Amino acid sequence: MLILASKSPRRKELLSLITTDFVIKTTDEDETLPDGISPKEAVETLSKIKALPFKNGVDTVIGADTVVAIDGKILGKPKDESDAFDMLRTLSGRTHSVFTGVTVISPKGETTFSVETKVKFFELSDYEIRAYISTGEPMDKAGAYGIQQKGALLVESVGGDYFNVVGLPVSKLNKVLNIHIDH
C-alpha cells in the first residue's frame, strides 16, 4: 500500500498525477526545528518527521513539507493578516526560493530529497497585497500565497519545477517511487 502522510489537499491532487492508488494518513507530530536550520535541512527534516510514524516494513510512505524562503529566512504560514501583509511586502519585486522536502520509506529503504524552485514576484502595491489577502487564500499557505490559485497573479516568473511550488515535486518523486516500488 502507498501512504501519503499529509493533510494537504494539494499534495493529494499532485500525487494523483502519479497514481490514484494511495491512502492518506496523518498524525500530529512535533514539528519544532532548531534555530538557524537552513530551509533545505528544514523541509528534509520535516518530511521525515511526517513519514516515520507510518514506517512498518510493508507499505511505502511519502512525507513532504514545503517552505518559502528569502534571504535565508523561512516564511511559514502567516499568523494573521498583518503577518501575511509583511510576508507579501517582503516578497514584492524579488526572487525567493520554495523548497519541498520529500521522504519515501519502503521495504527497499529510505530516500530523502529536496527540490528548490525560484519564484519572482511582480512589484506589488499595498492595494494589490490587501486585495489578495482579502480573498483569504494566503492564510494557510507557506509564504502567504498559493501559486495555483489567485496567487498566480503575483508571480512574474518561475524557475524550476512549478509543481514543487504547489507542494510536491511530482516528476522527481515519480523517479524515486520507481526505485522503491516493484512494478
Side-chain angles (χ1 to χ4, degrees), residues 13-74:
E13 184 179 330
L14 291 174
L15 183 56
S16 69
L17 295 174
I18 299 171
T19 180
T20 56
D21 189 18
F22 64 93
V23 297
I24 293 173
K25 293 186 179 180
T26 60
T27 62
D28 289 321
E29 297 297 315
D30 180 10
E31 295 185 15
T32 306
L33 293 169
D35 289 339
I37 191 170
S38 74
K40 178 184 185 330
E41 290 173 306
V43 294
E44 290 180 2
T45 299
L46 290 169
S47 73
K48 284 182 194 174
I49 287 170
K50 291 177 178 181
L52 281 171
F54 304 104
K55 178 179 181 177
N56 60 19
V58 177
D59 298 319
T60 299
V61 183
I62 301 166
D65 195 77
T66 302
V67 299
V68 171
I70 191 161
D71 301 329
K73 181 181 178 220
I74 295 171

Side-chain angles (χ1 to χ4, degrees), residues 12-183:
K12 176 184 177 186
E13 184 179 330
L14 291 174
L15 183 56
S16 69
L17 295 174
I18 299 171
T19 180
T20 56
D21 189 18
F22 64 93
V23 297
I24 293 173
K25 293 186 179 180
T26 60
T27 62
D28 289 321
E29 297 297 315
D30 180 10
E31 295 185 15
T32 306
L33 293 169
D35 289 339
I37 191 170
S38 74
K40 178 184 185 330
E41 290 173 306
V43 294
E44 290 180 2
T45 299
L46 290 169
S47 73
K48 284 182 194 174
I49 287 170
K50 291 177 178 181
L52 281 171
F54 304 104
K55 178 179 181 177
N56 60 19
V58 177
D59 298 319
T60 299
V61 183
I62 301 166
D65 195 77
T66 302
V67 299
V68 171
I70 191 161
D71 301 329
K73 181 181 178 220
I74 295 171
L75 302 181
K77 294 177 183 178
K79 295 185 242 3
D80 53 33
E81 289 187 0
S82 173
D83 195 27
F85 184 91
D86 292 344
M87 285 184 195
L88 293 167
R89 168 62 43 231
T90 298
L91 298 174
S92 174
R94 299 181 63 201
T95 299
H96 62 276
S97 294
V98 178
F99 292 88
T100 299
V102 180
T103 296
V104 177
I105 302 172
S106 76
K108 292 186 175 184
E110 183 177 316
T111 303
T112 298
F113 66 91
S114 58
V115 173
E116 177 183 8
T117 303
K118 299 284 190 178
V119 179
K120 183 173 192 305
F121 267 27
F122 285 109
E123 192 69 45
L124 305 173
S125 69
D126 287 358
Y127 171 81
E128 289 171 304
I129 293 171
R130 284 192 189 94
Y132 179 57
I133 291 170
S134 75
T135 67
E137 188 179 295
M139 302 318 296
D140 69 338
K141 313 267 189 317
Y145 77 97
I147 196 169
Q148 73 282 6
Q149 295 171 301
K150 292 184 185 303
L153 305 177
L154 313 177
V155 175
E156 184 174 333
S157 63
V158 176
D161 185 339
Y162 165 83
F163 293 111
N164 186 57
V165 182
V166 180
L168 199 63
V170 291
S171 55
K172 172 92 184 221
L173 175 57
N174 186 55
K175 295 280 188 199
V176 171
L177 285 174
N178 283 334
I179 295 166
H180 281 270
I181 298 173
D182 293 320
H183 294 286

